């Protein structure tokens, strides 16, 4: 049994090093080096070339190198019986929590405005709203979203969450299912998108949704670029319904030259860095699942393939 690492566009060295350190006996191949496809039962991957998994007759598990699995589930030629796992990692959650908190504080305390004023050598105080007067709506309150909620509650923000199933989270009002989406949106002064990308959530951040948010609402998208209809966001920021947006993920990464987001005064762009997987902290759960597979035990952090996350 062998493990195949596939991460085109990303240097796999740190992953291989961490895997070898934590499981010296492991037989590892790095795609596309020469390897026996029949031997591979476990693949660790980020953005694999489409369609390749059908060439591995004994492949049983595909492990994502990150929390998102849309780069795997979107492969239309994925064999049906293969199990998919995702990363659940305390460090990843902490980084997401502090990053979203930073974006919210920067927005609420008008830091972009003051940077602009400074560059223009202008002394321009503007009023601000106190944290406890701001309600943050977390769209997709799962592993990462709950850590974001926790950080915000520690900083006196009001927090509400939306998910498929109702949640019991202390001090967070839970909304679930399509029937409760409008009520959730109507109250969200700041909307933080933390949904997984699935056929149900693609392009969910559109004009219709933005219009349900209160006037002056702010959008933070740290989930996936494909959740957002970019033209709709630009229209709603430019007509003043939204006060702005902070975007960490995009349809095309990096965004193309001349993209209207680059120089937009109310849109903050970061290069998909909200929360970055560190191989050393994630490899133990990969090895654990590799061993679970060998021992015929249930995997940890398995994705439900029928719902796509
Ligand atoms: P989880 O699977 O733990 O949480 C997803 C949440 O979304 C759950 O609460 C789920 O509801 C809810 N959800 C899913 N589909 C729907 C739907 N159709 N309607 C309403 N709610 C829905 O995911 P994570 O928190 O681990 O990760 C979230 C996403 O963050 C990843 O998929 C990835 O895209 C992104 N990400 C971005 C990073 C970055 O650096 N920018 C880094 C890491 C991840 P329920 O709980 O009821 O099932």
């Amino acid at each position: 049994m062998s493990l195949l690492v596939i991460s085109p566009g990303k240097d796999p060295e740190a992953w291989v090093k961490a895997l070898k350190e934590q499981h010296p006996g492991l037989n590892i191949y790095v795609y596309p080096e020469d390897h026996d496809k029949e031997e591979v039962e476990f693949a660790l991957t980020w953005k694999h070339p489409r369609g390749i998994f059908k060439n591995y007759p004994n492949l049983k598990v595909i492990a994502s190198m990150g929390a998102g699995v849309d780069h795997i589930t979107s492969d239309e030629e994925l064999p049906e019986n293969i199990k998919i796992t995702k990363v659940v990692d305390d460090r990843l959650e902490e980084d997401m929590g502090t990053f979203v908190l930073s974006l919210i504080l920067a927005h609420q305390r008008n830091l972009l405005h003051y940077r602009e004023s400074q560059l223009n050598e202008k002394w321009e105080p503007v009023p601000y709203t106190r944290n406890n007067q701001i309600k943050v709506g977390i769209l997709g309150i799962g592993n990462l979203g709950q850590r974001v909620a926790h950080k915000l509650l520690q900083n006196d923000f009001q927090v509400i969450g939306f998910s498929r199933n109702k949640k019991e989270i202390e001090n967070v009002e839970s909304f679930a299912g399509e029937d409760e989406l409008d009520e959730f949106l109507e109250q969200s002064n700041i909307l933080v998108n933390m949904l997984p990308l699935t056929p149900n959530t693609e392009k969910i951040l559109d004009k219709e949704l933005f219009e349900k948010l209160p006037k002056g609402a702010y959008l933070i998208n740290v989930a996936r670029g494909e959740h957002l209809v970019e033209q709709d966001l630009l229209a709603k920021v430019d007509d003043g319904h939204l006060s702005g947006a902070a975007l960490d993920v995009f349809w095309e990464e990096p965004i193309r030259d001349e993209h209207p987001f680059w120089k937009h005064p109310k849109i903050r762009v970061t290069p998909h860095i909200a929360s970055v997987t560190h191989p050393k902290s994630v490899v133990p759960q990969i090895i654990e699942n590799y061993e679970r597979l060998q021992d015929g035990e249930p995997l940890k952090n398995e994705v439900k393939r029928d719902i796509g996350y």
Side-chain angles (χ1 to χ4, degrees), residues 86 141-144 164-165 167 194 222 224 248 275 309:
K86 64 176 203 159
I141 189 155
N143 291 314
L144 297 171
R164 277 186 351 121
N165 307 290
K167 306 269 172 222
M194 298 257 39
V222 281
R224 284 292 177 264
D248 185 56
S275 157
Y309 70 97

Side-chain angles (χ1 to χ4, degrees), residues 182-243:
D182 288 6
E183 201 186 339
F184 163 80
L185 294 171
E186 281 159 17
Q187 300 179 48
S188 298
N189 305 117
I190 297 178
L191 184 72
V192 182
N193 178 35
M194 298 257 39
L195 287 167
L197 181 64
T198 68
N200 286 330
T201 64
E202 186 174 324
K203 297 187 185 162
I204 188 169
L205 302 173
D206 64 359
K207 180 171 174 282
E208 201 188 330
L209 178 144
F210 295 142
E211 285 174 348
K212 289 174 183 154
L213 294 169
K215 187 165 165 54
Y218 188 74
L219 172 73
I220 295 179
N221 187 17
V222 281
R224 284 292 177 264
E226 292 89 336
H227 287 129
L228 176 66
V229 181
E230 295 185 344
Q231 289 312 319
D232 288 3
L233 174 68
L234 286 164
K236 286 287 125 195
V237 171
D238 290 341
D239 77 8
H241 183 69
L242 298 181
S243 56

Side-chain angles (χ1 to χ4, degrees), residues 111-130:
L111 297 189
L112 269 186
H113 160 80
Y114 292 122
R115 180 68 189 153
E116 189 75 19
S117 300
Q118 182 187 345
L119 293 173
N120 293 323
E121 300 181 24
K122 290 212 167 116
W123 189 267
E124 291 174 320
V126 284
Y128 61 92
T129 311
R130 292 229 155 92

Side-chain angles (χ1 to χ4, degrees), residues 3-190:
L3 183 148
L4 177 68
V5 178
I6 317 175
S7 58
K10 247 190 192 182
D11 186 0
E13 206 176 306
W15 287 95
V16 174
K17 187 166 174 278
L19 285 164
K20 283 190 173 154
E21 270 170 18
Q22 291 179 41
H23 193 314
L26 194 63
N27 190 32
I28 306 169
Y29 295 121
V30 178
Y31 186 88
E33 75 180 8
D34 200 23
H35 59 279
D36 181 350
K37 295 191 173 58
E38 295 204 355
E39 260 183 47
V40 174
E41 293 188 33
F42 195 107
L44 173 62
T45 176
W46 190 257
K47 299 190 177 165
H48 66 276
R50 308 283 87 179
I52 62 164
F53 288 127
K54 62 178 183 302
N55 304 322
Y56 291 83
N58 296 315
L59 183 65
K60 300 197 172 56
V61 177
I62 303 174
S64 171
M65 287 178 174
V69 292
D70 46 288
H71 60 104
I72 302 171
T73 54
S74 58
D75 184 343
E76 285 169 4
E77 294 177 79
L78 206 62
E80 295 235 321
N81 50 351
I82 291 179
K83 294 183 190 307
I84 299 173
T85 65
K86 64 176 203 159
V87 163
V88 177
D89 179 54
D90 185 62
R91 286 306 322 172
L92 206 64
E93 290 165 16
E94 187 64 15
D95 291 353
M96 184 59 86
T98 50
F99 185 68
V100 172
L101 174 64
S102 317
L103 291 173
I104 290 179
L105 293 172
H107 165 67
Q108 173 239 357
R109 296 309 306 264
N110 304 300
L111 297 189
L112 269 186
H113 160 80
Y114 292 122
R115 180 68 189 153
E116 189 75 19
S117 300
Q118 182 187 345
L119 293 173
N120 293 323
E121 300 181 24
K122 290 212 167 116
W123 189 267
E124 291 174 320
V126 284
Y128 61 92
T129 311
R130 292 229 155 92
N131 301 14
N132 62 5
Q133 300 301 310
I134 298 177
K135 204 176 257 191
V136 182
I138 300 180
L139 186 60
I141 189 155
N143 291 314
L144 297 171
Q146 287 182 36
R147 184 63 66 92
V148 170
H150 182 65
K151 292 277 165 209
L152 295 171
L153 288 170
Q154 281 177 333
N155 285 275
D156 282 342
F157 289 96
Q158 300 174 52
V159 183
I160 55 178
F162 184 76
S163 45
R164 277 186 351 121
N165 307 290
K166 276 266 189 218
K167 306 269 172 222
E168 296 249 350
I169 308 167
E170 206 180 343
N171 296 322
V172 177
E173 191 179 353
S174 165
F175 296 84
E178 278 185 25
D179 290 354
E180 296 188 4
L181 180 60
D182 288 6
E183 201 186 339
F184 163 80
L185 294 171
E186 281 159 17
Q187 300 179 48
S188 298
N189 305 117
I190 297 178

Side-chain angles (χ1 to χ4, degrees), residues 277-296:
T277 316
H278 285 228
K280 246 190 154 155
S281 96
V282 165
V283 155
Q285 61 187 268
I286 305 295
I287 300 278
E288 184 178 347
N289 268 342
Y290 182 83
E291 287 172 344
R292 282 171 171 264
L293 174 66
Q294 278 182 319
D295 298 343

